Amino acid sequence: MKNKIIHTKKDLLLGRGRDEIAGGFEKIQQLCVSRRNFMQGAGVLLGGAVLSGLIGGTAEALADEAVETGKFVFPRLQFTVTDNTPDRWDVHPKGDIILRRKLRELTNINVSMEPKVVRLEDFDDMVRNPFVFMTSEGNFKLPENEEKNVREFLERGGFIMADDCVYNGKEDRFFKAYVSLINKLFPDNPMRKIPYDHEIFHIYYDFANGCPHMQGVPNGAYGLFEPGTGRIMTWCSPGDIHCGWVNAWWSPEKNMEAMKMGVNIIIYFLSH
């Protein structure tokens, strides 16, 4: 019971919906899901229908009993970086810490505050963490085994949130490299700009003009859309919202917009 939290009917009386009450999926780590049965096991814990299954029953039923949930884990993805730039895959971990704290403050999501690194080269490590955050400021070219892991991870229901750390405050090297990678792996379904009316921009906070832009090239956020369902499988933003989480270089209001966008992305993942 060490890592469990009990949510009571007070949550519902405060108007918190099931998607907000449901914690994340640290339980996936406990399942020790193998490469072969990732979707069979992880699929039980991912998606909107899964949230209601995880916490059980309807809103009316929830009001009558306590709800036990796991924790949402926000890991950083370690990957091969070939460009000789100072800010690589592990840049500014403080931003991750602050976002976790804000996620806990601004929502009722039960989030783990523990830092975690997931290695792209180790697929068994990845499948225990269906949501990963990836960033850098430079170009990168993955070795074949890491490319294969990206494709398989996304096809099995994993979600990669990618954000460009922006080289020299004005370029989009990482953004271009990531979009190029995904388009190579999914040649018949390339990434495309996410329209401003998409629910990821309105699921919790409203962003009428799409993803907040801190610095760099204003390409807009891109997504890989799952054929048939339209679900966003991976997100890539060019404007350094991660550095907004660090809360050091722009106004508090602008930094808060970056944090709120991070919250939206996580809630979108948890509910799809």
Side-chain angles (χ1 to χ4, degrees):
M1 298 297 293
K2 181 180 179 181
N3 292 325
K4 303 293 181 61
I5 280 187
I6 299 297
H7 298 285
T8 67
K9 63 182 180 180
K10 179 181 178 182
D11 293 306
L12 295 171
L13 296 176
L14 291 173
R16 294 169 176 150
R18 287 184 294 173
D19 289 357
E20 296 174 59
I21 295 172
F25 305 111
E26 194 171 66
K27 289 183 178 180
I28 285 184
Q29 295 176 319
Q30 300 167 4
L31 290 175
C32 297
V33 184
S34 71
R35 186 169 190 157
R36 185 177 63 257
N37 64 11
F38 173 47
M39 278 307 292
Q40 181 179 357
V44 176
L45 298 177
L46 291 170
V50 174
L51 289 174
S52 59
L54 177 64
I55 63 179
T58 64
E60 291 76 12
L62 289 175
D64 296 327
E65 60 183 356
V67 180
E68 184 178 277
T69 65
K71 289 185 177 182
F72 171 73
V73 180
F74 186 90
R76 180 73 72 96
L77 186 65
Q78 179 180 351
F79 61 101
T80 301
V81 180
T82 53
D83 207 0
N84 187 25
T85 56
D87 293 337
R88 301 164 80 85
W89 69 267
D90 56 351
V91 59
H92 300 316
K94 178 182 177 181
D96 304 34
I97 295 170
I98 293 176
L99 182 66
R100 291 187 192 100
R101 186 168 68 238
K102 285 298 178 182
L103 188 63
R104 177 175 286 181
E105 292 173 1
L106 298 173
T107 76
N108 199 37
I109 293 172
N110 180 16
V111 57
S112 171
M113 300 304 292
E114 296 299 319
K116 182 172 180 59
V117 173
V118 173
R119 293 171 297 140
L120 180 53
E121 66 180 5
D122 184 348
F123 192 79
D124 287 334
D125 191 23
M126 289 191 71
V127 299
R128 297 183 178 94
N129 299 273
F131 181 103
V132 293
F133 175 64
M134 179 179 184
T135 189
S136 181
E137 68 173 14
N139 295 314
F140 66 91
K141 182 175 175 57
L142 301 181
E144 185 177 348
N145 67 309
E146 291 188 8
E147 287 188 350
K148 180 181 178 182
N149 287 350
V150 168
R151 181 181 178 102
E152 190 165 353
F153 179 75
L154 295 177
E155 286 180 333
R156 293 187 178 203
F159 187 98
I160 299 175
M161 176 187 174
D163 181 60
D164 194 327
C165 191
V166 183
Y167 183 70
N168 280 337
K170 58 184 179 181
E171 298 187 32
D172 58 354
R173 296 185 184 185
F174 174 85
F175 176 83
K176 287 180 177 177
Y178 188 78
V179 172
S180 177
L181 167 67
I182 298 302
N183 291 349
K184 174 185 176 182
L185 298 178
F186 298 89
D188 298 326
N189 182 28
M191 294 189 79
R192 61 183 189 270
K193 187 174 180 178
I194 303 173
Y196 294 165
D197 62 352
H198 192 279
E199 65 176 311
I200 202 167
F201 295 125
H202 308 281
I203 195 167
Y204 198 76
Y205 295 106
D206 279 315
F207 292 93
N209 298 314
C211 182
H213 188 78
M214 315 306 285
Q215 63 177 346
V217 182
N219 297 307
Y222 273 50
L224 175 68
F225 295 84
E226 184 177 55
T229 68
R231 177 183 66 88
I232 295 178
M233 302 165 67
T234 181
W235 154 292
C236 187
S237 45
D240 207 357
I241 58 174
H242 169 255
C243 276
W245 305 343
V246 178
N247 200 23
W249 296 286
W250 299 285
S251 70
E253 294 77 15
K254 187 172 183 178
N255 292 330
M256 180 57 72
E257 289 299 291
M259 295 176 199
K260 288 180 177 179
M261 189 69 249
V263 169
N264 268 29
I265 294 167
I266 291 168
I267 291 178
Y268 178 86
F269 159 73
L270 290 174
S271 58
H272 288 75

